[in-house]
Amino acid sequence: MASPRGVVEDSLWLDNARVVPSGTSYASVDDSATGEEIAKVRSATTEDVDRAFDSAARAQKRWADVSPADRVAVVAKAADLLEGMAEDLATTIQAEVGTVASQVHGMQVGLGLSAIRLTAGAALATVTERERIGASEVVQEPAGVVGAITPWNYPLFQVALKVAPAIAAGCGVVLKPAEVAPLTTFLVAEAFAEAGLPAGVLNVVCGSGSGVGSAIAGHARADFVSFTGSVATGRQVARSAAQWGTRTSLELGGKSAAIVLDDDMVRAAVRHTIASCFANAGQTCAALSRLIVPRHLLEEAEDEVSEVMAQVVVGDPAAATSTVGPLASQAQRNAVVEHLRVAGETAGVRTVASKDISHLGPGWYAPPTVVVAEAPGAPIVQEEVFGPVLAIQPADDEEHAIELAEGTRFGLIARVWTDDDVRFERVARRLRVGGVIQSDAPTAWDAPFGGVKHSGYGRERGGYGVEEYLVPKSLQRGRFTE
Ligand code: NAD
């Protein structure tokens, strides 16, 4: 099935069918590489959101009665069907987000598919878990109807991380994708319908955050609101949901650090951290956007930065040679350029390397840049750029490295570069983040992921991700006896 392009009138996915929403405004979707409009998506209204919640509430009751094994089978089947649409998904995501060809299949489509499969793999055990506590047996029940709000940076992965566990758990869903990248979501909805998901269990409503998003977050019929996006919006979502006492999960921003402890690892850490920071043009919540190195190795680190930056190719996302593409939107490009302007004027911040992008035509390009920031309070250290900009911070010793790593309001992930397992755990346990990875170990995609501090709360991925969509119920057996 071809991805929707042009004017998308029937942008409301309701009861397993595409319906024209009642809104009269349209949101533009741009090709990140050219800035040209590729689609205009008709926006929904709060009345459409009500219809979606009605539909989800009706369908959820019946879906909860379907056996967990059958529910999980639908999730697994949807992953297979989406795999068959991999080319379409990659083309759509590349246009919406600007992810380069060498990353779009693995980091976008592959991660999204694997999130659905890992959820399917973990869900049955989590959903059917029964725990005996004295005279009680604790069983797991679906949370009910879920409002899900997603960002644009990984349009399949972010949607998969909410929709797959919600469906496996027996919930109904009203989903709002980001205006910048909504087209992938139609493919997901179609795949779940084709996989046998009953009408109404998954509904998709497109539109603005302030209109449709806040109507979902503050909906009286939402039993749980799962949000991924910026810190500021997350707070608004939590406030909207609080009027009904609705539980929320907030997956918010980050300013994650890689800390080099072993001297002989500094070059490998520079290479790895730049790759992490520049992947998807820096638009990754868990990007390592800070690198903390021993001060006496700063020169060696900068030398390695120059070598790595010489290999960075900024350009057309469709070109096989490009390693960094454009930002997803004009607003995001402007935000990154503004961060760089401020960094250039901040005392204690010095640019080590910046790629020339003057040869690139239209499209939302920003120059991949590495700075050394001696000032821990500098905005480039404190604020999430969400672009290809790395800040290196020199540390005097291990204690100072921990202090620097801990010196922002965020707490998503960290990497600690050392071969010493005891040292790794000692430092990792002192970092207030949701997860810590040793050196260049691969990410375990079924381990729980989420933040602490201003990076939010709640966990996604694997069995922990499914738990968010369940509520424990205690069944107490027996009779009163004297
Ligand atoms: P955003 O907060 O601007 O938007 C996210 C979603 O919220 C969009 O769908 C938007 O339309 C909607 N929204 C906006 N205002 C709303 C409101 N008042 N009520 C309800 N919904 C509203 O974020 P973004 O620019 O799309 O994404 C980038 C941000 O997301 C970054 O800060 C990034 O770190 C974060 N992010 C976090 C994770 C994570 O797992 N922790 C993953 C990806 C992105």
Side-chain angles (χ1 to χ4, degrees):
M1 184 146 324
S3 322
R5 298 284 168 112
V7 183
V8 181
E9 293 287 0
D10 49 356
S11 61
L12 183 62
W13 182 264
L14 196 74
D15 292 328
N16 276 0
R18 297 189 56 154
V19 178
V20 178
S22 53
T24 49
S25 63
Y26 293 78
S28 283
V29 181
D30 296 340
D31 184 335
S32 313
T34 61
E36 281 167 19
E37 185 177 275
I38 51 170
K40 249 177 154 51
V41 178
R42 186 160 173 158
S43 297
T45 60
T46 52
E47 287 74 38
D48 297 321
V49 173
D50 289 341
R51 288 163 76 195
F53 270 98
D54 284 348
S55 163
R58 269 195 310 275
Q60 191 270 325
K61 289 193 174 56
R62 293 190 297 273
W63 183 236
D65 289 338
V66 171
S67 81
D70 287 347
R71 295 199 304 252
V72 169
V74 167
V75 174
K77 179 86 193 297
D80 292 343
L81 292 167
L82 282 164
E83 188 165 10
M85 305 176 187
E87 271 311 313
D88 232 353
L89 286 163
T91 316
T92 305
I93 295 172
Q94 187 167 81
E96 287 179 327
V97 183
T99 310
V100 292
S102 57
Q103 296 171 357
V104 75
H105 293 276
M107 272 176 45
Q108 291 281 9
V109 180
L111 268 191
L113 295 178
S114 105
I116 301 175
R117 291 203 167 110
L118 288 172
T119 299
L124 201 52
T126 311
V127 174
T128 57
E129 190 188 307
R130 302 170 83 98
E131 187 189 2
R132 186 163 280 288
I133 303 175
S136 296
E137 195 172 13
V138 183
V139 296
Q140 303 296 329
E141 303 246 313
V145 176
V146 176
I149 302 171
T150 54
W152 41 260
N153 57 341
Y154 290 89
L156 175 62
F157 184 53
Q158 298 297 347
V159 164
L161 286 174
K162 300 195 189 307
V163 166
I167 288 173
C171 293
V173 182
V174 176
L175 166 72
K176 190 196 94 62
E179 306 91 301
V180 170
L183 303 180
T184 311
T185 320
F186 300 117
L187 298 173
V188 176
E190 281 160 9
F192 273 96
E194 209 180 320
L197 187 69
V201 177
L202 171 63
N203 304 280
V204 179
V205 196
C206 293
S208 72
S210 55
V212 172
S214 71
I216 291 174
H219 206 280
R221 297 187 80 160
D223 296 298
F224 172 49
V225 175
S226 179
F227 171 80
T228 300
S230 63
V231 175
T233 309
R235 288 182 186 154
Q236 285 176 19
V237 165
R239 269 197 295 273
S240 302
Q243 67 186 298
W244 306 108
T246 305
R247 185 167 63 91
T248 53
S249 165
L250 303 181
E251 298 286 350
L252 309 178
K255 193 74 190 181
S256 299
I259 305 172
V260 181
L261 296 181
D262 289 7
D263 285 5
D264 61 351
M265 288 182 147
V266 71
R267 285 187 182 270
V270 166
R271 275 196 303 280
H272 183 278
T273 308
I274 290 180
S276 158
C277 183
F278 290 4
N280 203 29
Q283 301 161 114
T284 304
C285 57
L288 296 164
S289 50
R290 293 186 296 143
L291 174 63
I292 299 170
V293 300
R295 188 177 293 281
H296 69 278
L297 298 175
L298 185 57
E299 211 178 300
E300 189 181 347
E302 288 186 35
D303 184 59
E304 187 65 19
V305 166
S306 304
E307 284 185 25
V308 177
M309 287 295 275
Q311 289 155 22
V312 169
V313 180
V314 196
D316 182 357
T321 48
S322 300
T323 62
V324 180
L327 279 304
S329 66
Q330 185 174 27
Q332 191 58 28
R333 193 273 309 270
N334 292 350
V336 173
V337 169
E338 176 61 10
H339 279 290
L340 288 171
R341 188 192 66 73
V342 172
E345 293 176 358
T346 308
V349 175
R350 164 171 65 82
T351 299
V352 180
S354 186
K355 295 300 284 190
D356 178 19
I357 55 161
S358 56
H359 61 289
L360 295 168
W364 314 130
Y365 293 96
T369 301
V370 179
V371 303
V372 168
E374 293 277 358
I380 203 69
V381 171
Q382 293 296 326
E383 290 170 16
E384 183 184 46
V385 174
F386 225 53
V389 181
L390 175 68
I392 298 182
Q393 298 178 269
D396 301 329
D397 52 26
E398 180 180 302
E399 200 57 34
H400 188 213
I402 294 171
E403 189 189 315
L404 290 173
E406 282 287 275
T408 76
R409 64 196 171 121
F410 296 106
L412 207 46
I413 65 144
R415 278 195 187 250
V416 175
W417 285 77
T418 177
D419 275 335
D420 179 339
D421 289 353
V422 174
R423 199 176 185 199
F424 167 75
E425 181 157 344
R426 182 176 73 222
V427 173
R429 295 294 291 259
R430 288 187 56 197
L431 299 174
R432 288 188 63 214
V433 294
V436 186
I437 308 177
Q438 188 174 9
S439 307
D440 57 357
T443 303
W445 294 102
D446 49 357
F449 176 84
V452 297
K453 294 159 65 181
H454 291 196
S455 292
Y457 49 81
R459 292 294 179 265
E460 293 196 311
R461 304 183 188 172
Y464 278 89
V466 177
E467 261 180 31
E468 296 272 337
Y469 297 86
L470 296 167
V471 283
K473 180 188 270 181
S474 158
L475 305 179
Q476 202 165 318
R477 299 175 194 278
R479 298 209 43 195
F480 177 75
T481 47
E482 295 267 4

